[in-house]
Structure formats: structure tokens, C-alpha cells
């Protein structure tokens, strides 16, 4: 049967040259002979056969391995996957369309289950245990190059969705049935679900202590400092400069391989932002304020914005798209003088920050000397332990939202916004957020055809310059506070 096409009846095939040590085995098959395959229904059957071959090397040596298409005998012993002849590598090495052990046997084996459970968070292991033919989106960390070939992935009806250049990760789509068998590859360190990330806006300048025109620090604008806004994109607006570079990471099929660096290159798009948050964040950071007589001027109007588009028009995207953008930054940040990364997005914490691929990717940038600023999240109404990933990282700057009660420079009545997520982080108990910044009722650039502008018609603010036709939008959230901090970092770096 074709394993790749028969999901519901999918059988993962384990190579066992036939034994039960028949005459065909003793005489040695030839290239023109069919070799009988024994279906292994239990680990004891496989162990028994493996021991027989080990005890009769003269018989084992008579097998034409190229004809039988196998390299090892596989079994799982009481100590886990045995070394040498009995190994987890052999399970994957033997996955072709003509080899037979069904996935139920793997899922029911205690040792195989223990190995798989040690390589994924509990909620993902529950999916692996249940099985089924529904696809599971994964981010897989591996030691060096993965030992899985395209043919082996095809045998499991799996697909590599993304490869990363600077991180030992890959995004994989695989049926739940095959997930536990996939985890047996000893090159795989950890498997996480490729979970959805979301914009952190709830659908100021005074409380940010922004320098006024009469103060010396007003001369600092963030000039020469590049800020990567990893968000929904940037649309055209008179307050934002023409020619903002925007790269699209949402669809891996639109990316191509750079033959010089062997890295994936995203498509360079125009200023497109269906949702609107990326435009609003960019205006918060470096809006010129030209259409509002500087009333809605950004904190760092001299900074350079590079837009890395990872969120769709509904404000959501995949973790793997964010990781792809961060992976690209590791290679290209210096070329565009990017020194700050703004992550006004996130998702709930579902595993430790020591294994979460989104956290690990953000920390790689931090370790490379790039300042990473992440939103704490907007789940403060649910109380403590509501910090989002990747804001639960011990390294990056995690930003909560401050409410100034509308009194501007008077900080005596400022308080943490009720929506702003609170620490400590789930599981790892990291004290977060690191700081609070204005994130309540922030007004910045928006375009009338963007989703947020249509969802929030009562929050529109009109431009004030004669003859203007641009629009601004009042929004709240830790996303807005994160943009304020990223801009402040640019001023400090200048």
C-alpha cells in the first residue's frame, strides 16, 4: 500500500528481513527475488528476531541489504531504545512504502511512549497518543542537520513547511498518527506545536516622559537606528516615509533560497497591512505628526522602520512565521542597521521558556546584540501568571501597559492598566513585565480600509492640517506600550 496516500489506514513499516529464518534467508535473496517481510506485532517479536540474527551472523551476512532495503533490526527494550543493532534511528531508516509495523504498536509501547513524552510538552503528547489522520503543525528542534530524508517524511505523509538558516529548527506538518514514531529520531531534541500568535492591541506621550521641544534631549530622534517591526505590515500614510522596506514571511511557498547563503529569502512587498496594527505601531515609533501639527508625532521620528510581515488581516499568524522573521534578522540585521526588534504579538505560555521555540528564537537575537522588546499580553483581567510568550523570556525586555488617568505629566496617579498581563510567568515563574509604558488610548497612524479602523469607528481621530485626508486611530494594549519602549531604545542607542 502507499503509506503517503493512505492516512486512515496508514502503516509505518519496519524492516525485518524474514527470518523466522527460512530457506530464503539462508540461501540469500537475489535482486530478482521477492523477500518476504514479517509484520512485527510486538516488541518481543522484534527482540527475538534481532537476537537470532545477532547469534547467527553467518545468516545475517547472507542478506542482500540493498535488495531488502534495510540496515538494522529494530526493537525497544526495557532500557528504552537499545544501541547498536536495536536503535531508534533504525525505526526511521526503515520507513518506506513496503515495510510494515502499524503506528498503534508504537503508540502502545511503554518505552516508545516514554521517549516521545520526553521530547514534547504534555498537551502535544496527548495528541500523539490519540493519533488520527488530522495534520499537526510543528516546530521541531534538532541537533545539527536532521537525519530525516524527504523520502522518510513522505512515508509518514509529512511535509517540511519551513527550514531555518541560523536556527536548528524546522517547521513540519505531520499526521497525528505518525507523531510518536517521528519523535523516535534521536536527532530530534524537542517538538513543539506551531501555535498561533496574536496582535496585542485592545480592539500618552506625557506619561512616557517624552522630551519637549524646549529640552535638549528633544534633538534625539533615533536617527540611524533601524527598528524591525515584526507585525501585520505597514500601509501608506502621510506620517510614514515612502519606501519602507517590507518583507513577507507569512507564506513559506513565496520565499526562495539564496544560492550564496542557502538561506530562505522572503518576498519584498509594497506597503501592505490588512489588519492595521503594524501601521499603528510604526506610527507610534516614528510617525512624523505632519498631518496632526505634531500632536500625534512618534517617539523616534528619525528611526528607520523595516517591516517584517507575519500577521494576517485577522491579526493572527503562525509561530513559525515569527521564527522565520527572527531567523532572517540573524543574517540580515547588520545590512539594514537593525538594532531593535519590536514584537507587539505573542501567545499563551504552553511550555517552559527553556523549550519554547518562539522564546529561544527571540533569545538568539538578544544574544547577538539586538535589543528585543516584547509585549506582556492583554490578559491582566485574568490575574497573575498571564504573561505571554515570548515575553516570558528571562532575557528580552517585556513591556506592560501604563494608564496615566489622562493627567499627562503628573505621574502620581499612573497605574498598571487592568488589561496588562501580570507575572510571574506560568511554569518558569519569571518576574515580568520588566517595565510599564504608556499603552492606553494611544493615537497613531491608520488607514481607513484596515480592519482595525473598521472595527473601531468611534475611535477615529481626524487629521488637522489644511487639506489633509489621512486618519489616526486611538488604541490600547501592551502592543502600543511595546512600540513606545522600542522607540525609547532607539533614542538611547542614538
Amino acid at each position: 500500500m502507499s503509506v503517503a496516500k493512505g492516512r486512515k489506514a496508514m502503516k509505518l513499516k519496519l524492516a525485518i528481513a524474514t527470518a523466522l529464518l527460512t530457506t530464503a534467508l539462508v540461501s540469500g535473496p537475489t535482486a530478482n527475488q521477492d523477500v518476504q517481510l514479517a509484520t512485527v506485532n510486538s516488541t518481543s517479536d522484534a527482540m527475538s528476531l534481532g537476537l537470532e540474527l545477532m547469534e547467527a551472523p553467518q545468516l545475517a551476512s547472507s542478506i542482500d541489504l540493498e535488495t531488502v532495503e534495510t540496515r538494522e533490526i529494530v526493537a525497544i527494550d526495557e532500557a528504552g531504545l537499545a544501541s547498536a543493532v536495536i536503535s531508534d534511528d533504525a525505526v526511521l531508516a526503515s520507513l518506506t512504502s513496503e515495510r510494515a509495523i502499524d503506528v498503534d504498536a508504537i503508540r502502545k509501547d511503554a518505552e516508545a511512549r516514554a521517549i516521545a513524552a520526553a521530547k514534547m510538552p504534555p498537551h502535544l503528547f496527548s495528541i500523539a497518543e490519540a493519533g488520527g489522520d488530522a495534520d499537526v503543525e510543528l516546530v521541531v528542534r534538532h541537533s545539527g542537520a536532521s537525519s530525516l530524508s524527504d523520502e522518510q517524511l513522505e512515508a509518514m505523509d509529512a511535509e517540511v513547511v519551513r527550514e531555518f538558516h541560523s536556527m536548528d529548527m524546522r517547521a513540519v506538518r505531520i499526521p497525528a498518527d505518525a507523531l510518536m514514531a517521528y519523535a523516535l529520531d534521536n536527532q530530534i531534541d524537542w517538538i513543539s506545536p506551531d501555535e498561533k500568535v496574536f496582535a496585542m492591541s485592545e480592539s500618552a506621550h506625557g506619561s512616557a516622559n517624552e522630551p519637549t521641544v524646549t529640552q535638549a534631549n528633544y534633538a534625539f530622534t533615533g536617527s540611524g537606528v533601524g527598528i524591525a517591526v515584526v507585525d501585520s505590515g505597514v500601509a501608506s500614510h502621510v506620517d510614514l516615509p515612502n519606501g519602507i522596506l517590507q518583507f513577507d514571511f507569512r507564506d513559506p511557498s513565496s520565499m526562495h533560497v539564496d544560492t550564496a547563503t542557502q538561506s530562505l529569502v522572503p518576498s519584498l512587498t509594497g506597503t501592505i497591512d490588512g489588519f492595521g496594527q503594524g501601521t499603528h505601531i510604526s506610527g507610534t515609533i516614528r510617525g512624523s505628526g505632519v498631518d496632526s501639527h505634531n500632536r500625534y508625532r512618534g517617539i523616534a521620528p528619525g528611526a528607520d522602520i523595516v517591516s517584517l510581515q507575519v500577521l494576517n488581516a485577522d491579526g493572527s499568524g503562525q509561530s513559525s512565521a515569527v521564527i522565520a522573521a527572527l531567523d532572517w534578522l540573524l543574517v540580515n540585521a547588520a545590512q539594514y542597521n537593525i538594532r531593535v526588534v519590536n514584537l507587539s504579538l505573542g501567545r499563551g505560555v504552553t511550555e517552559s521558556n527553556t523549550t519554547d521555540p518562539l522564546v529561544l528564537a527571540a533569545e538568539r537575537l538578544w544574544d547577538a546584540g539586538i535589543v528585543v522588546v516584547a509585549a506582556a499580553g492583554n490578559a491582566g483581567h485574568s490575574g497573575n501568571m498571564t504573561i505571554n510568550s515570548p515575553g516570558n523570556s528571562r532575557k528580552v525586555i517585556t513591556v506592560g501597559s501604563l494608564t496615566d488617568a489622562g493627567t499627562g505629566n503628573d505621574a502620581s496617579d499612573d497605574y498598571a492598566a487592568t488589561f496588562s498581563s501580570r507575572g510571574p510567568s506560568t511554569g518558569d515563574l519569571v518576574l515580568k513585565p520588566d517595565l510599564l509604558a504608556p499603552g492606553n488610548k494611544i493615537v497613531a497612524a491608520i488607514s481607513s480600509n484596515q480592519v482595525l479602523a473598521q472595527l473601531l469607528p468611534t475611535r477615529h481621530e481626524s487629521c488637522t492640517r489644511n487639506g489633509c485626508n489621512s486618519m489616526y486611530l486611538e488604541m490600547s494594549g501592551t502592543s502600543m506600550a511595546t512600540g513606545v519602549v522600542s522607540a525609547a531604545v532607539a533614542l538611547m542607542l542614538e
Side-chain angles (χ1 to χ4, degrees):
M1 63 177 275
S2 171
V3 178
K5 294 181 180 178
R7 290 188 178 182
K8 291 187 177 180
M10 184 174 60
K11 301 289 184 180
L12 296 184
K13 296 207 165 188
L14 174 63
I16 301 290
T18 231
L20 306 180
L21 300 164
T22 58
T23 304
L25 204 162
V26 176
S27 61
T30 68
N32 297 320
Q33 288 179 305
D34 291 331
V35 178
Q36 180 185 357
L37 295 180
T39 299
V40 180
N41 295 313
S42 68
T43 56
S44 59
D45 288 347
M47 178 67 77
S48 174
L49 179 55
L51 292 176
E52 285 185 273
L53 289 179
M54 291 171 69
E55 291 171 359
Q58 72 280 9
L59 297 179
S61 63
S62 68
I63 302 174
D64 183 340
L65 293 179
E66 291 299 324
T67 302
V68 181
E69 296 184 336
T70 183
R71 297 297 180 273
E72 297 175 88
I73 303 302
V74 178
I76 302 174
D77 63 12
E78 293 180 356
L81 291 181
S83 59
V85 171
I86 304 169
S87 70
D88 56 335
D89 270 347
V91 174
L92 292 173
S94 61
L95 290 176
T96 69
S97 61
E98 294 302 322
R99 300 171 182 181
I101 185 171
D102 63 45
V103 293
D104 289 337
I106 294 176
R107 290 205 309 274
K108 293 175 182 177
D109 186 277
E111 285 75 24
R113 286 160 47 88
I115 291 166
K119 292 186 178 183
M120 61 185 76
H123 64 290
L124 183 58
F125 181 68
S126 296
I127 295 173
E129 280 191 305
D133 60 358
D135 281 338
V136 184
E137 305 284 345
L138 307 171
V139 176
V140 180
R141 286 194 295 117
H142 51 79
S143 300
S146 173
S147 64
L148 292 171
S149 67
D150 292 340
E151 291 78 12
Q152 289 166 332
L153 286 167
E154 183 180 354
M156 288 187 283
D157 207 8
E159 177 188 359
V160 176
V161 180
R162 295 180 191 266
E163 296 275 10
F164 303 109
H165 177 263
S166 301
M167 302 182 189
D168 293 331
M169 302 181 191
R170 59 177 14 177
V172 175
R173 181 181 299 120
I174 192 168
D177 257 345
L179 180 52
M180 198 170 294
Y182 180 64
L184 298 182
D185 174 22
N186 66 15
Q187 293 297 314
I188 292 176
D189 297 326
W190 189 257
I191 304 174
S192 299
D194 185 4
E195 296 182 281
K196 288 274 189 182
V197 294
F198 300 92
M200 292 292 112
S201 52
E202 287 286 309
S203 306
H205 290 260
S207 34
N209 199 25
E210 179 187 9
T212 64
V213 69
T214 60
Q215 294 176 309
N217 282 344
Y218 186 80
F220 292 103
T221 64
S223 178
V225 178
I227 302 176
V229 178
V230 184
D231 214 286
S232 59
V234 179
S236 296
H237 193 281
V238 68
D239 274 15
L240 298 173
N242 294 323
I244 289 179
L245 292 176
Q246 178 159 303
F247 299 93
D248 189 351
F249 293 87
R250 296 171 298 170
D251 181 6
S253 66
S254 68
M255 303 172 71
H256 64 278
V257 177
D258 185 325
T259 55
T261 64
Q262 293 303 304
S263 61
L264 283 175
V265 178
S267 56
L268 183 63
T269 69
T271 48
I272 300 171
D273 178 10
F275 186 55
Q277 177 176 279
T279 303
H280 194 276
I281 297 297
S282 298
T284 301
I285 293 173
R286 67 96 64 235
S288 66
V290 65
D291 257 9
S292 64
H293 292 94
N294 283 338
R295 184 178 182 186
Y296 305 134
R297 179 177 181 264
I299 303 291
D304 298 317
I305 297 291
V306 177
S307 172
L308 306 185
Q309 192 174 27
V310 298
L311 300 181
N312 300 311
D314 63 356
S316 72
Q318 294 298 129
S319 294
S320 58
V322 181
I323 294 170
L326 301 182
D327 183 67
W328 180 87
L329 282 169
L330 281 172
V331 178
N332 297 283
Q335 177 181 348
Y336 299 101
N337 198 31
I338 294 171
R339 303 179 66 186
V340 185
V341 176
N342 187 96
L343 296 173
S344 291
L345 49 75
R347 55 171 170 74
V349 173
T350 57
E351 58 185 291
S352 169
N353 59 19
T354 63
T355 59
D356 185 333
L358 192 56
V359 171
L360 296 177
E363 290 182 344
R364 281 288 304 276
L365 285 175
W366 184 273
D367 292 342
I370 300 171
V371 180
V372 180
V373 187
N378 297 332
H381 293 296
S382 297
N384 294 328
M385 303 182 79
T386 51
I387 297 294
N388 274 354
S389 169
N392 60 329
S393 164
R394 296 181 186 275
K395 295 182 178 181
V396 309
I397 299 173
T398 305
V399 184
S401 179
L402 178 74
T403 295
D404 68 0
T407 57
N409 293 324
D410 181 3
S412 64
D413 56 359
D414 293 355
Y415 59 93
T418 54
F419 60 76
S420 184
S421 289
R422 291 157 167 74
S425 64
T426 301
D428 301 298
L429 302 180
V430 182
L431 294 177
K432 292 282 182 170
D434 297 299
L435 50 83
L436 302 177
N440 192 51
K441 298 183 177 180
I442 301 297
V443 180
I446 201 76
S447 293
S448 59
N449 61 347
Q450 292 174 318
V451 169
L452 286 174
Q454 296 170 9
L455 287 175
L456 305 170
T458 62
R459 299 188 190 178
H460 293 180
E461 296 287 343
S462 299
C463 58
T464 58
R465 184 172 59 89
N466 288 337
C468 68
N469 60 4
S470 59
M471 180 186 292
Y472 299 90
L473 186 68
E474 176 192 283
M475 290 175 61
S476 299
T478 56
S479 280
M480 286 67 248
T482 301
V484 170
V485 172
S486 291
V489 170
L491 299 182
M492 296 172 68
L493 291 175
E494 182 190 5

